[in-house]
Amino acid sequence: GPVGLYALAMAIASGAGMTVSIGAPARRIQLAQKWGATHTINLDEAKDPRERIEMVRKWTGGRGADLVIEAAGPVSAFQEGLDMVRRGGRFLVIGQGSKKTIDFSPRRVNLDMLEIIGVLSAHVEHFYKAMQFLKNNLHRFSFADMISNRYPLSQVTTALEEMEALREIK
């Protein structure tokens, strides 16, 4: 989604050699490709999480990703991201709002030497840095392409429903 696309832009601008963007609808994936994602997975095509995990493992020579950023929200995305990160890797969780739980052994953090980082919102200085990133990278990433539709205030419910159904980018 939009947060994942911003994370992709940050990763590319920071020099990531390989980036994998996972999401839907196709317009979001197309935007990720336009911005320079080296690999993409469309959730509408690769519906089985095991298939997506295997794709990431294949692209990383069997190791898994150095850094996984979970920006989606469903608790299943947490589990899937955890299964994509390499031993000794980092897992940044910025999308979790679900109250659901999963079966997870904290011992895995030790055995796989994982660094799991959770984030909820930000401080004022983070918003300032984000605005500076947007300003300084307008030539590199077409941020305006994230706005896939406009709705009048009278259709706010429709707009939210379209976002929830993954029919809009933002």
Side-chain angles (χ1 to χ4, degrees):
V3 174
L5 286 165
Y6 284 124
L8 170 68
M10 288 288 300
I12 291 170
S14 298
M18 176 193 298
T19 54
V20 179
S21 185
I22 303 170
R27 288 192 295 178
R28 287 182 182 170
I29 292 300
Q30 291 162 354
L31 187 54
Q33 291 166 337
K34 179 179 178 180
W35 285 4
T38 56
H39 299 81
T40 56
I41 301 173
N42 186 329
L43 292 172
D44 293 332
E45 296 168 2
K47 295 185 185 235
D48 185 346
R50 292 171 298 193
E51 176 186 4
R52 297 189 295 264
I53 293 163
E54 183 56 36
M55 292 167 82
V56 169
R57 294 248 173 228
K58 178 183 161 207
W59 293 330
T60 58
R63 295 176 328 143
D66 293 332
L67 169 66
V68 172
I69 301 173
E70 188 286 301
V75 72
S76 59
F78 177 86
Q79 182 64 59
E80 189 172 332
L82 197 58
D83 291 340
M84 288 180 179
V85 70
R86 73 166 171 83
R87 189 168 195 253
R90 297 167 75 194
F91 188 31
L92 177 59
V93 184
I94 59 178
Q96 279 306 304
S98 177
K99 293 181 181 177
K100 295 181 182 177
T101 60
I102 61 167
D103 185 26
F104 173 71
S105 170
R107 187 165 187 247
R108 178 161 177 211
V109 174
N110 296 90
L111 293 174
D112 287 343
M113 299 182 292
L114 299 177
E115 183 178 354
I116 300 175
I117 306 156
V119 177
L120 179 65
S121 193
H123 296 285
V124 172
E125 61 267 19
H126 298 135
F127 289 108
Y128 175 78
K129 287 179 182 180
M131 294 296 108
Q132 292 303 305
F133 176 80
L134 294 175
K135 179 180 131 189
N136 295 332
N137 287 279
L138 284 175
H139 65 283
R140 190 169 186 183
F141 304 104
S142 54
F143 296 116
D145 288 346
M146 292 181 65
I147 308 299
S148 55
N149 207 341
R150 296 184 187 277
Y151 296 86
L153 190 55
S154 61
Q155 292 183 350
V156 68
T157 302
T158 302
L160 292 171
E161 289 169 351
E162 293 298 297
M163 279 295 297
E164 185 177 20
L166 300 178
R167 287 188 284 269
E168 301 290 357
I169 296 175
K170 184 72 176 163

